[in-house]
Amino acid sequence: MHSRALFVAAALAAASPSFAAGPMGAEWAIAIHGGAGVISRTGISAEDDKAIRAALAEALDAGAQILKSGGSSTDAVVAAVSRLETSPWFNAGIGAVLTSAGTVELDAAIMDGASQGAGAVTGVTTTLSPIALARTLMDKGPHVFLAGPATDAYARTHQLTQVPNSHFVTERRLKQLQDLRQRNQGASLSLPAELRMGTVGAVARDVNGNLAAGTSTGGLTGKSPGRVGDAPVIGAGTLADNRCLALSATGSGEMFIRARVASQICDRSRFGGQPLQQAADEVLAEVKAMGGDGGVILLPPKGEPLFAFNSAGMYRGRASGSGLHEIKVYGDE
């Protein structure tokens, strides 16, 4: 090969994006969330507070145990999020909010920071674990994003557990929808603040330094059937990239999409040199200016997991190989 050709080849290789694995022997870490919003000490009984913290701790420990034993960040995210999907305390899976038609429509997404592989689903109605469905789509393809009846059909093709839509419905969510109807409120964007929030998610870094992020949600109480929020949108509510972060968001989905929350935080850090905490705080301030509330959990390629939110509280937890292990609920913790 001529020297000029060698030079051009080398230049192209240098300019190509690299999604290489992280450093061997990295410190594992994980963070989870169970939604953000109007979460106050006066609004949650001591008994419920204890039960919510226990559910968060169970999910956090499920993911942490995988990481401690050398498992992958993606496996840890699925383990944590799937536990949250089975808890009636959170707006995902069992206990998800109801649409204006009185049904449950679930969304989820997952992303691998090393390969940039991703899977996203929306409008899931009968698949027990939307995050497991998103993981299957990421691993087996051929597409990245599926919507509507195609999601459950794909799940059946891959032998994922199916349940009646009623399996996800709880009395608490039925009452929320009834209360909303009695107020004669419109759908989604005109909801009172206490009904607008709710999503679950996890971010993780394994001992190989690879990042992953996953998010799962039922969306908004009284939402229009077919509505899609930010959770399944890669770059809005979910993102993992070994070069900058793993992130899962919760909050006012329409505003999080418009602000490109996950991608903007990543870009501010990767290209603008901002510390991740500063980038997250400033982007959430933009969301607030749009009229949106919510928060993010984020994990850098090195260091401890971070939280940022502009609401009264966020169900959250984090753990790491350094011995960090905490569960928090209110904004003043």
Side-chain angles (χ1 to χ4, degrees), residues 71-152:
S72 75
S73 55
T74 303
D75 286 344
V77 163
V78 172
V81 174
S82 62
R83 291 293 180 93
L84 294 169
E85 288 176 336
T86 65
S87 172
W89 290 108
F90 309 110
N91 176 16
I94 298 169
V97 300
L98 304 182
T99 70
S100 59
T103 58
V104 171
E105 292 186 1
L106 305 169
D107 304 336
I110 193 166
M111 190 168 188
D112 174 77
S115 68
Q116 300 293 279
V121 291
T122 182
V124 177
T125 60
T126 61
T127 301
L128 180 62
S129 176
I131 194 66
L133 174 53
R135 168 72 182 279
T136 301
L137 183 62
M138 178 178 74
D139 289 346
K140 299 184 178 180
H143 307 301
V144 169
F145 207 148
L146 289 178
T151 60
D152 295 310

Side-chain angles (χ1 to χ4, degrees), residues 20-319:
M24 293 292 289
E27 182 180 277
W28 67 264
I30 185 171
I32 63 169
H33 71 81
V38 181
I39 300 172
S40 66
R41 297 179 189 278
T42 58
I44 301 176
S45 69
E47 183 180 2
D48 288 350
D49 178 284
K50 183 178 179 180
I52 290 167
R53 290 176 190 269
L56 289 168
E58 181 183 351
L60 183 67
D61 292 344
Q65 188 58 47
I66 289 173
L67 298 171
K68 287 179 185 178
S69 61
S72 75
S73 55
T74 303
D75 286 344
V77 163
V78 172
V81 174
S82 62
R83 291 293 180 93
L84 294 169
E85 288 176 336
T86 65
S87 172
W89 290 108
F90 309 110
N91 176 16
I94 298 169
V97 300
L98 304 182
T99 70
S100 59
T103 58
V104 171
E105 292 186 1
L106 305 169
D107 304 336
I110 193 166
M111 190 168 188
D112 174 77
S115 68
Q116 300 293 279
V121 291
T122 182
V124 177
T125 60
T126 61
T127 301
L128 180 62
S129 176
I131 194 66
L133 174 53
R135 168 72 182 279
T136 301
L137 183 62
M138 178 178 74
D139 289 346
K140 299 184 178 180
H143 307 301
V144 169
F145 207 148
L146 289 178
T151 60
D152 295 310
Y154 185 90
R156 290 190 293 271
T157 298
H158 292 279
Q159 290 79 51
L160 296 183
T161 302
Q162 300 292 295
V163 295
N165 192 253
S166 59
H167 180 80
F168 301 113
V169 179
T170 64
E171 288 298 320
R172 182 165 66 99
R173 298 307 190 185
L174 279 170
K175 186 178 186 305
Q176 281 186 346
L177 182 62
Q178 291 166 357
D179 290 347
L180 181 64
R181 288 170 172 168
Q182 289 173 3
R183 291 190 185 103
N184 293 319
Q185 296 280 345
S188 58
L189 294 182
S190 61
L191 283 170
E194 67 270 19
L195 299 183
R196 282 193 277 121
M197 305 308 170
T199 294
V200 304
V203 295
R205 183 180 63 237
D206 58 35
V207 295
N208 294 315
N210 293 323
L211 302 174
T215 313
S216 183
T217 187
L220 303 176
T221 300
K223 68 181 182 180
S224 298
R227 178 262 186 185
V228 180
D230 65 300
V233 179
I234 301 301
T238 305
L239 185 67
D241 185 331
N242 277 7
R243 299 168 298 184
C244 60
L245 57 72
L247 181 150
S248 175
T250 174
S252 307
E254 281 73 12
M255 287 71 166
F256 274 62
I257 292 172
R258 288 164 53 194
R260 301 168 290 106
V261 167
S263 289
Q264 190 182 164
I265 293 172
C266 177
D267 291 347
R268 281 170 174 258
S269 174
R270 184 178 170 212
F271 301 115
Q274 280 190 325
L276 277 180
Q277 187 71 60
Q278 178 186 348
D281 290 340
E282 290 185 5
V283 172
L284 287 174
E286 290 185 10
V287 172
K288 192 75 169 180
M290 293 178 180
D293 294 318
V296 298
I297 55 173
L298 57 160
L299 185 60
K302 296 181 180 179
E304 304 287 16
L306 303 171
F307 303 121
F309 53 98
N310 63 19
S311 52
M314 181 166 71
Y315 301 121
R316 61 202 189 274
R318 58 183 178 176

